[in-house]
Amino acid sequence: MADRKTLQAVMISGHTNPSPGFAMQRDLEVCKLVDTTTCIGCKACEVACVEWNDLPFTPTTFDNTYQTMPETGYHFWNLIKFNEHQNPDGTIQWLMRKDQCMHCADPGCLHACPADGAIVKYANGIVDFNQENCIGCGFCVSGCPFNIPRFNPSTKRVYKCTLCSDRVGEGLEPACIKACPTGCLKFGTKDDMKFIAEERAKQLRDNFGWQNAGVYDPQSVGGTHVIYVLHDATDPERYGNLPKDPQIPWSYTWWKWLFKPVLGTFALFGLLGVLAHHVTHGPRVPQPEPPKKDDNIGGAY
Amino acid sequence: MEFSRRNFLKGTVLGGTAFSALGFDLAPVYAQTSSLKISRASETRSTCPYCAVSCGVIIYTIGDKAKNAIPQVLHVEGDPDHPINRGTLCPKGSSLEQDILNDRRLLKPQVRRPGATDWEDISWDQAYEEIAQKVKKTRDDTFIEQDANGKTVNRCEGMAFTGGCTDTNEFNYLAVKSMRSLGVCYLENQARV
């Protein structure tokens, strides 16, 4: 049976909160750990992603860096960003960061999405797009603080990294994690990844002279299910516009938490009014039919 | 106003429907993820042919090797049980599926003549013929039987041989044997297995 591959959804786009089944089942929160200090920019994760997800090949764009293309695409969900950062003392840092969906605990795309079931968050923390429910409005693109969802103009749907929900749902690790030859990518429970990340950051601070080394797990979106170890956690912007304090636009959170329940209540009162009218005035009386015109001579009768 | 049992039931059903429509249903929701494409595929263990590290890979093919199922490669990824790579692969190894499936693979011999700008398709027979003639001529011209000290060396310094990354073990064995027999010293076949 194909429906073995299911994950419990705890947040659903276009759906009144709380989602049915919320907190009905325990599940481990999964997490990807990206240690930017040991990434060598080999792009094995990029290729593994394209191969596993059978994404179409397209010509890439050269922009005078080692980056495969300037931004992620609807057919390219995982991109190593190469950044040359000049320190105040004139030295250059060559920084590589794996850019993909961050799988926020409080996802901006999901808040922005008006289509029921197009974006779901599973109990294990993965935020997934269901393209069959997507209406192609593109609100998720502007609702995402990390600039991740990508619109495909030919299918009129939006695509992004799924954190290999098909693999994770079956107990496997994501394709990018499996490929990584330096072990800079790790996958496991959120608790374990946080622990390993903090240990590594401490090691960088104590033994390698990176005084500001730290873990990137922004609490402004409730934490993410992709976390980074950075040389300098005080300035994530240098890693290719990683926002220091990612924010979901308020217009995308309010409409769902305030306006939608209010309007839903009005709709409920409307239904009650209809019911009351039916009870007090009785059912609709059939109206006498207008006299038929005799113009169907030669018809079926 | 008449409040009959019938109207009460109608109201209950209508109200319940309204509540359900507004999202008060209590059944847990399970979203369908796309099915795992390799869940019932055949697994074949192999070795990555690209470099001398020789990472272990698993090749997933359609079907369960039943007589009437024609296997086709579905996916290739690292072998977690292999002691060299333990499941990891480099970008080139990760693209191994394309070594089999890509329609831009080179399927016939090509030659670029001296001074030419483009590659030219030739037949296998013609390729063998031309290679044999050039090998014979080069070996005749550059073969050294004795070095400056009169020591017998029997080597051919005018030729070099480079193996390809996708050559098999057996091919590499034959390449070494035949090149050594010609006296070729500059020999590399990339095999480290």
Side-chain angles (χ1 to χ4, degrees):
Chain A
M1 289 249 313
D3 58 5
R4 161 73 183 78
K5 288 123 211 148
T6 49
L7 291 168
Q8 193 195 341
V10 292
M11 281 173 93
I12 302 167
S13 63
H15 211 92
T16 329
N17 210 49
S19 292
F22 177 72
M24 292 281 280
Q25 230 175 16
R26 282 177 294 116
D27 205 345
L28 291 171
E29 270 192 56
V30 296
C31 182
K32 263 194 225 181
L33 167 60
V34 184
D35 184 355
T36 59
T37 61
T38 51
C39 177
I40 56 169
C42 76
K43 307 180 184 177
C45 51
E46 288 184 5
V47 178
C49 175
V50 168
E51 292 293 354
W52 172 258
N53 294 299
D54 294 318
L55 300 175
F57 301 120
T58 44
T60 53
T61 319
F62 180 65
D63 64 345
N64 292 312
T65 68
Y66 279 85
Q67 235 167 271
T68 308
M69 52 180 80
E71 294 286 345
T72 54
Y74 62 82
H75 49 40
F76 205 84
W77 302 338
N78 174 19
L79 175 75
I80 300 289
K81 289 204 161 181
F82 291 76
N83 296 284
E84 288 167 33
H85 174 73
Q86 189 162 15
N87 291 317
D89 61 359
T91 53
I92 296 277
Q93 258 185 300
W94 199 22
L95 303 168
M96 290 140 205
R97 179 175 68 88
K98 181 179 183 294
D99 188 30
Q100 82 276 272
C101 175
M102 301 291 286
H103 298 274
C104 311
D106 195 20
C109 56
L110 195 146
H111 289 311
C113 179
D116 193 356
I119 303 178
V120 293
K121 197 187 105 176
Y122 302 124
N124 64 7
I126 296 179
V127 180
D128 208 357
F129 284 16
N130 287 328
Q131 274 80 19
E132 60 265 40
N133 295 335
C134 177
I135 56 172
C137 65
F139 281 8
C140 53
V141 178
S142 48
C144 174
F146 298 99
N147 187 21
I148 288 299
R150 292 283 181 262
F151 183 70
N152 180 351
S154 62
T155 62
K156 305 274 191 288
R157 299 286 187 273
V158 182
Y159 299 82
K160 70 157 187 70
C161 156
T162 64
L163 215 147
C164 286
S165 55
D166 47 350
R167 291 175 67 101
V168 175
E170 289 276 300
L172 282 170
E173 66 286 317
C176 55
I177 306 289
K178 182 167 183 182
C180 180
T182 68
C184 98
L185 302 181
K186 288 188 169 49
F187 179 75
T189 64
K190 175 90 191 237
D191 291 343
D192 284 353
M193 293 303 108
K194 279 286 274 187
F195 178 76
I196 293 172
E198 293 292 353
E199 287 285 296
R200 173 65 181 159
K202 186 173 181 300
Q203 193 183 34
L204 286 165
R205 285 192 298 268
D206 295 349
N207 304 344
F208 293 88
W210 297 105
Q211 268 94 26
N212 294 322
V215 181
Y216 183 82
D217 181 22
Q219 294 306 307
S220 55
V221 287
T224 51
H225 293 91
V226 175
I227 62 175
Y228 292 105
V229 176
L230 304 178
H231 305 86
D232 187 350
T234 60
D235 180 23
E237 303 278 347
R238 71 172 70 162
Y239 294 84
N241 298 327
L242 192 61
K244 186 171 169 57
D245 191 25
Q247 297 289 345
I248 308 163
W250 66 268
S251 51
Y252 283 144
T253 48
W254 276 47
W255 79 267
K256 191 174 282 180
W257 306 132
L258 180 65
F259 299 130
K260 202 166 177 186
V262 166
L263 293 176
T265 314
F266 279 130
L268 183 65
F269 276 113
L271 278 172
L272 289 173
V274 169
L275 179 68
H277 183 270
H278 184 80
V279 170
T280 52
H281 288 75
R284 187 171 171 232
V285 181
Q287 300 294 312
E289 283 187 23
K292 269 190 180 175
K293 284 184 192 164
D294 196 19
D295 59 354
N296 58 351
I297 298 165
Y301 300 102
Chain B
M1 173 187 152
E2 183 195 1
F3 194 78
S4 67
R5 183 173 176 273
R6 182 182 166 81
N7 277 340
F8 175 74
L9 286 177
K10 272 186 189 172
T12 313
V13 171
L14 193 62
T17 317
F19 268 101
S20 304
L22 288 166
F24 288 90
D25 51 325
L26 293 171
V29 172
Y30 291 90
Q32 187 103 26
T33 59
S34 60
S35 62
L36 192 77
K37 65 178 177 179
I38 55 169
S39 58
R40 298 284 299 191
S42 293
E43 293 185 12
T44 310
R45 297 174 80 182
S46 186
T47 306
C48 174
Y50 278 136
C51 84
V53 172
S54 306
C55 294
V57 297
I58 300 177
I59 301 172
Y60 293 92
T61 43
I62 292 172
D64 55 0
K65 296 183 181 168
K67 178 176 174 291
N68 297 335
I70 309 300
Q72 175 59 275
V73 173
L74 194 63
H75 183 60
V76 180
E77 64 182 46
D79 182 355
D81 295 331
H82 200 278
I84 289 177
N85 59 323
R86 291 171 59 198
T88 68
L89 283 177
C90 78
K92 205 168 170 185
S94 298
S95 73
L96 211 51
E97 187 188 339
Q98 300 306 317
D99 199 36
I100 304 145
L101 294 180
N102 202 301
D103 53 7
R104 293 170 69 192
R105 284 173 63 210
L106 203 57
L107 296 171
K108 51 194 160 197
Q110 288 187 318
V111 62
R112 202 176 76 180
R113 307 263 176 223
T117 52
D118 293 315
W119 291 86
E120 177 193 328
D121 287 348
I122 56 172
S123 69
W124 280 106
D125 286 343
Q126 197 187 344
Y128 291 143
E129 179 95 17
E130 287 191 26
I131 291 168
Q133 279 174 8
K134 285 197 164 63
V135 166
K136 174 79 169 72
K137 183 174 183 302
T138 312
R139 187 168 181 273
D140 288 349
D141 291 349
T142 62
F143 194 74
I144 302 168
E145 275 181 44
Q146 289 183 331
D147 68 2
N149 301 326
K151 215 176 194 175
T152 305
V153 288
N154 282 336
R155 64 181 179 231
C156 173
E157 291 184 345
M159 268 193 287
F161 177 85
T162 324
C165 57
T166 48
D167 293 344
T168 59
N169 216 20
E170 293 73 19
F171 177 86
N172 285 330
Y173 176 83
L174 291 173
V176 171
K177 283 286 173 192
S178 53
M179 287 300 124
R180 291 280 184 227
S181 68
L182 290 172
V184 171
C185 311
Y186 309 126
L187 172 63
E188 168 60 58
N189 62 13
Q190 234 199 43
R192 299 288 184 278
V193 281

